[in-house]
Amino acid sequence: MSGAGAPDFFYREAQRLGYVARSAFKLLQIQKQYKLITSGSSVLDLGCAPGAWLQVACQSLGPLNKGGVVVGIDVKKVKVPQLHCDSRAQTVCADVMNLPRNRIRALSPQFLESLPRIRLYQSN
């Protein structure tokens, strides 16, 4: 929305195309230019509310038979949007910095195996 409260072009276009937020167009543009998400990829969306990037990420996975997974984590409860998403998308309501390791593993073992072994540090 623009500062005056009137819906802008991208807000209206998101509504028309079934995206939950105009931010979907940011990832669509990134995806078009860099093709970060390929068929069968594993995607972790931290701070996934309201779910527009989940929609685009799921779309970018390609056909269902190619596999892949999209996991969204947010402190707010986020329902997986029905439009543009399928069974490969799931959400977790949690603070990622306090998410128990066993709960992370339960999300998707193949997803975790595909991630590089890194340690996350919270900046203050």
Side-chain angles (χ1 to χ4, degrees):
M1 300 259 266
S2 61
D8 66 15
F9 169 79
F10 289 106
Y11 173 85
R12 289 189 307 274
E13 195 67 2
Q15 297 294 305
R16 186 181 74 77
L17 296 174
Y19 292 112
V20 295
R22 64 196 297 276
S23 59
F25 295 108
K26 293 175 186 175
L27 184 54
L28 284 167
Q29 182 180 11
I30 292 168
Q31 182 64 11
K32 182 179 177 181
Q33 186 171 356
Y34 298 106
K35 303 203 181 343
L36 297 176
I37 304 168
T38 58
S39 187
S41 291
S42 297
V43 178
L44 177 61
D45 183 358
L46 300 177
C48 68
W53 280 39
L54 290 172
Q55 290 177 296
V56 175
C58 199
Q59 269 182 288
S60 302
L61 292 180
L64 195 56
N65 65 352
K66 293 288 186 179
V69 64
V70 178
V71 177
I73 302 177
D74 201 289
V75 293
K76 290 179 163 183
K77 185 174 178 143
V78 177
K79 184 177 174 187
V80 175
Q82 289 185 332
L83 196 54
H84 304 298
C85 287
D86 55 37
S87 60
R88 297 175 289 182
Q90 57 183 306
T91 60
V92 176
C93 181
D95 179 344
V96 71
M97 298 307 290
N98 298 317
L99 198 58
R101 186 175 291 251
N102 63 345
R103 183 140 180 234
I104 294 171
R105 281 193 189 104
L107 290 173
S108 175
Q110 71 272 20
F111 175 71
L112 292 171
E113 289 170 4
S114 71
L115 291 176
R117 303 285 179 200
I118 60 172
R119 184 165 181 170
L120 299 176
Y121 295 95
Q122 184 175 12
S123 61
N124 293 328

